[in-house]
Amino acid sequence: MGRPREFDKTEALSKATEVFWLKGYEASSLKDLIDAMGISKSSFYETYGCKQDLFLSSIDHYANTALKDMALMLESDMPGREAIAQVFLHTANRFITHATPMGCLLSNSAAELAPDCEPAKNKVVGYFQRAEEAFTKAVERGQQEGTITTDQEAKALGRFLVSSMNGLQVVGKANQDEQTLKDIVTTIIKALD
């Protein structure tokens, strides 16, 4: 019996994440995943267990990268309002410039699986809470700087921004019109007045 072929687990997970992101959980077949990952069926089962376990790992992989990038922008030394605006503009530009806009894996997963898959739902909710915390801190900074309204609690505005980000990503997945997306971003940022 030959020794199993070694492979880069992070790279394989990245490839699986792309498949889930593009096709969704249900439409991603085991063959799709194995082909994209460049591994054997036995290596798949030995390393990842099952499709659902791989999917949950893919959510973590995606979220840790996406939330890290967003948090870096929100926690930069930019004024709070400007940092929030940059996060939304960056997101809108991603849809405008990519040939295959895939939305957000977290938003896609929430829509597809949250009602039926408790582990996926819990992961997505946890990551939305992390995003909410990052937005809330930026809102608090903007409120202290006098550029964001204090008529609303920072936490409520943080939740609004997470909801708005998810909405922007759903619209961007379907409609990559630059003016439409920029109008949405402008309106979201005006809500902070």
Side-chain angles (χ1 to χ4, degrees):
M1 180 175 191
R3 196 173 142 197
R5 184 169 71 100
E6 295 291 321
F7 63 94
D8 182 326
K9 291 178 183 157
T10 303
E11 184 179 329
L13 181 58
S14 292
K15 297 291 186 187
T17 301
E18 289 176 21
V19 172
F20 285 129
W21 193 4
L22 182 63
K23 294 183 145 200
Y25 177 79
E26 292 295 336
S28 296
S29 70
L30 187 57
K31 182 180 181 336
D32 294 334
L33 293 164
I34 289 170
D35 287 352
M37 297 166 79
I39 63 175
S40 69
K41 201 173 194 178
S42 61
S43 292
F44 176 89
Y45 286 115
E46 287 170 16
T47 307
Y48 301 102
C50 66
K51 178 179 165 182
Q52 181 175 317
D53 290 344
L54 176 62
F55 180 68
L56 296 174
S57 294
S58 292
I59 290 175
D60 289 337
H61 179 71
Y62 171 86
N64 287 328
T65 302
L67 290 178
K68 180 182 170 191
D69 293 345
M70 186 182 79
L72 284 173
M73 277 194 259
L74 291 173
E75 294 168 2
S76 70
D77 54 3
M78 273 189 279
R81 184 185 182 101
E82 184 180 335
I84 292 167
Q86 287 303 311
V87 166
F88 278 93
L89 287 170
H90 174 76
T91 300
N93 285 333
R94 216 178 64 229
F95 291 107
I96 294 163
T97 59
H98 281 87
T100 307
M102 299 186 294
C104 168
L105 180 61
L106 297 176
S107 297
N108 297 350
S109 300
E112 180 183 9
L113 293 175
D116 302 317
C117 180
E118 198 69 25
K121 174 184 174 180
N122 291 338
K123 281 194 178 289
V124 170
V125 168
Y127 288 120
F128 284 169
Q129 287 171 341
R130 279 181 51 192
E132 177 188 311
E133 289 167 13
F135 275 121
T136 298
K137 287 179 184 174
V139 167
E140 288 169 345
R141 197 166 70 247
Q143 288 175 329
Q144 291 168 356
E145 295 160 347
T147 59
I148 295 178
T149 182
T150 55
D151 291 345
Q152 297 287 327
E153 289 183 22
K155 191 169 193 76
L157 286 172
R159 288 178 175 150
F160 163 76
L161 292 169
V162 169
S163 174
S164 298
M165 178 61 72
N166 287 315
L168 175 64
Q169 293 185 101
V170 169
V171 171
K173 187 174 176 179
N175 180 359
Q176 298 81 48
D177 177 67
E178 182 174 1
Q179 191 59 53
T180 298
L181 296 174
K182 289 190 175 178
D183 286 349
I184 292 169
V185 170
T186 299
T187 304
I188 291 166
I189 300 308
K190 280 188 175 202
L192 301 176
D193 290 343

